[in-house]
Each structure stands twice: as C-alpha cells, then as structure tokens.
Amino acid sequence: GAVVSQHPSWVICKSGTSVKIECRSLDFQATTMFWYRQFPKQSLMLMATSNEGSKATYEQGVEKDKFLINHASLTLSTLTVTSAHPEDSSFYICSARRGGDEQFFGPGTRLTVL
Amino acid sequence: AQSVAQPEDQVNVAEGNPLTVKCTYSVSGNPYLFWYVQYPNRGLQFLLKYITGDNLVKGSYGFEAEFNKSQTSFHLKKPSALVSDSALYFCAVRDPYNFNKFYFGSGTKLNVKP
C-alpha cells in the first residue's frame, strides 16, 4: 500500500510553454501533498505544501505565479510550471502524507526545457 | 534552524562487507530522523525512522540506524552489503514545529562492488 504515482515521468518542452505534472495517491487519501525539486547531485528542496481544498503554502523563494499548485481532490495534486524556461529544467518529485510521520514519494518527473 | 549533514558524497564498499553511511543533525527540540533511498530516476523510498525509544532502529532491506544523541548522529548501517544496495541515500529530519516540513541532507551515493 501507499503508492504515489506521477505523470508524466519525463517531459521536454519549448521555452515559454506551460507544463502540468500530476501526482496521485493510488491507494490512500492524502490530505497533504508536497512538491520537491531536485537538482543533479543535490538534495530535495521543498517547494510547496499542498492541502486539499485550500491554497498551497509556498516555501520562501518559490514563485507562486510560476509554479501553480492545485489539490483538487484527496488523491490528486497538480503542479503547473508556467512559461517554462531552461532554468526550470529539473527533477520534480511529489510526496503524499497518509497520516502519521511518513511521506510517500512519487517516482519523479524529469522536466527539460529547451 | 533544522538541518542534516551527510559528510560523504560517496561510499564504496565490497559486497559482503559491512557498510555505514553517515549523517549528523542539528535540530531544536526532539529530533525526528529518517533515512530514504533513491534509485536512478525514481522517487525516494522510506527505509527507517527514529522518533523515540531504542537508539538502534531496524528498517527495510536489512538496514538499521543508530541514534546517538551525544554525537548528534544517525548513521545508517548494514552488516553485509549487496550489489543491489547501490543507490543514493538521504538522511532527513522533520521540523519538530512543522510536521509537514522535512529537511534533507545532500545525499550519499553508495557503490557496492561485487
């Protein structure tokens, strides 16, 4: 149990376009989901905390208008990278909290902006 | 501020030998410590956690970690390494004042050679 999926697993887009990444908890309901960004050979950086039915809480330095987060249901959160640029290229990972201490992580989405 | 440090970018060990991946932490309040493993292009998988209780914590795949309060360390160990253990390992601490927030170390790449 406690499986989290992400779609797509990778995406290549042109500069200036928007990209949507989905995060789903497949076998549990997640009131809270998290979006991380991971640069090559670096750790995960928390971007935002997504709560079902309310606005996301963004970490300092993360642009809200750039990284739009929607948590429309207890099993789905989406991250939209708007007007993507090459510097947005990264590995984006979501996680979901079922309750308790653990976060269950998705497999990640590799975004490449040309 | 909460933080974890993983002093080794890479650890090399021969199959069958014991392995240790180091982690030290800095936290105000009681530490809630975690170890995760990441395989290439995959999300993080939970290995084990320390919340309270015994200093030696046993986790998945034969891994264990020892919590040492005086040395503020939480080293990951395994008595006998397998080639399949080769991966990226992250230590993390949960913010004691915000249970949604995890701080990850920079990661240690474990290479187990046959």
Side-chain angles (χ1 to χ4, degrees):
Chain A
V3 179
V4 176
S5 70
Q6 279 184 244
H7 178 80
S9 54
W10 59 270
V11 57
I12 301 172
C13 69
K14 293 182 179 180
S15 186
T17 60
S18 294
V19 174
K20 181 186 282 188
I21 302 170
E22 292 186 349
C23 176
R24 292 182 185 272
S25 56
L26 297 184
D27 51 2
F28 66 101
Q29 293 183 331
T31 54
T32 307
M33 289 183 169
F34 308 87
W35 287 96
Y36 292 85
R37 185 172 178 177
Q38 185 181 26
F39 293 98
K41 298 184 180 181
Q42 293 190 31
S43 186
L44 281 73
M45 181 190 75
L46 179 65
M47 299 174 64
T49 301
S50 168
N51 295 294
E52 186 266 339
S54 64
K55 291 183 179 180
T57 302
Y58 290 81
E59 294 300 305
Q60 192 172 8
V62 178
E63 299 177 58
K64 301 178 184 181
D65 297 331
K66 176 93 177 147
F67 299 99
L68 299 179
I69 291 172
N70 184 282
H71 194 157
S73 76
L74 287 172
T75 59
L76 173 64
S77 176
T78 60
L79 168 68
T80 301
V81 184
T82 61
S83 186
H85 289 93
E87 58 266 28
D88 298 325
S89 298
S90 192
F91 195 53
Y92 292 87
I93 301 175
C94 75
S95 70
R97 192 154 68 92
R98 182 172 58 179
D101 305 315
E102 290 181 44
Q103 291 189 25
F104 298 92
F105 288 82
T109 297
R110 183 161 299 285
L111 170 64
T112 302
V113 184
L114 302 177
Chain B
Q2 332 298 337
S3 66
V4 292
Q6 293 179 244
E8 302 155 317
D9 291 337
Q10 186 167 294
V11 169
N12 298 312
V13 65
E15 187 175 31
N17 283 359
L19 70 87
T20 299
V21 182
K22 296 179 181 178
C23 171
T24 58
Y25 66 89
S26 174
V27 62
S28 53
N30 293 325
Y32 296 79
L33 298 159
F34 299 76
W35 274 102
Y36 288 87
V37 59
Q38 184 182 33
Y39 296 97
N41 294 314
R42 302 288 297 277
L44 276 65
Q45 295 178 32
F46 170 79
L47 279 179
L48 51 79
K49 64 181 177 184
Y50 172 83
I51 303 297
T52 186
D54 289 341
N55 290 341
L56 185 63
V57 179
K58 294 190 182 296
S60 306
Y61 313 120
F63 283 92
E64 57 189 28
E66 186 170 9
F67 171 69
N68 188 316
K69 188 174 182 179
S70 62
Q71 297 184 6
T72 61
S73 66
F74 189 57
H75 301 332
L76 181 70
K77 300 180 180 183
K78 187 172 182 180
S80 179
L82 300 172
V83 173
S84 57
D85 292 330
S86 299
L88 191 58
Y89 290 82
F90 288 98
C91 181
V93 63
R94 193 180 73 188
D95 192 322
Y97 306 108
N98 181 354
F99 281 9
N100 285 330
K101 195 157 185 177
F102 281 59
Y103 296 87
F104 287 85
S106 54
T108 299
K109 189 169 188 295
L110 174 66
N111 296 311
V112 181
K113 298 183 178 179

